[in-house]
Amino acid sequence: MAPLPPARQCEEAEMLLLLQVMNIDLDFLTAFHIEVDVLQNFQFEVYCHYNNIPLHNFQHCFCVTQMVSNLPTPPCGSLGPSQTC
């Protein structure tokens, strides 16, 4: 996965697009058997329900997701719901 710009340099629409790219790169669409439009709708609903407060806001959500997406994968491989280590 290519490095992403810091969240403070991104507009919220760009963060939504980058979240989509992260989820596609992590193969979530295949692992969870969902279509791109379902992913987009889910991400938009998450975005719409975040409060605009100093810490736990959508920018924080993006930062946490970005950091977690860069963690090494577990030795068992897939992040799919039926996969166990």
Side-chain angles (χ1 to χ4, degrees):
M1 184 180 322
L4 299 173
R8 65 184 175 277
Q9 294 177 2
C10 297
E11 297 293 326
E12 290 178 345
E14 186 178 13
M15 283 188 249
L16 279 166
L17 180 60
L18 292 171
L19 282 174
Q20 178 180 315
V21 169
M22 282 186 267
N23 286 313
I24 290 171
D25 285 351
L26 290 169
D27 208 24
F28 279 11
L29 298 178
T30 303
F32 296 103
H33 308 289
I34 58 174
E35 301 293 326
V36 173
D37 61 324
V38 173
L39 175 65
Q40 291 170 338
N41 288 336
F42 173 76
Q43 289 180 170
F44 185 70
E45 287 300 318
V46 169
Y47 165 77
C48 289
H49 290 88
Y50 259 91
N51 295 320
N52 192 15
I53 57 174
L55 178 60
H56 289 111
N57 54 30
F58 185 71
Q59 183 177 1
H60 179 254
C61 166
F62 175 81
C63 291
V64 170
T65 304
Q66 183 180 16
M67 293 303 297
V68 170
S69 72
N70 288 306
L71 293 174
T73 56
C76 60
S78 173
L79 294 175
S82 63
Q83 191 76 15
T84 58
C85 294

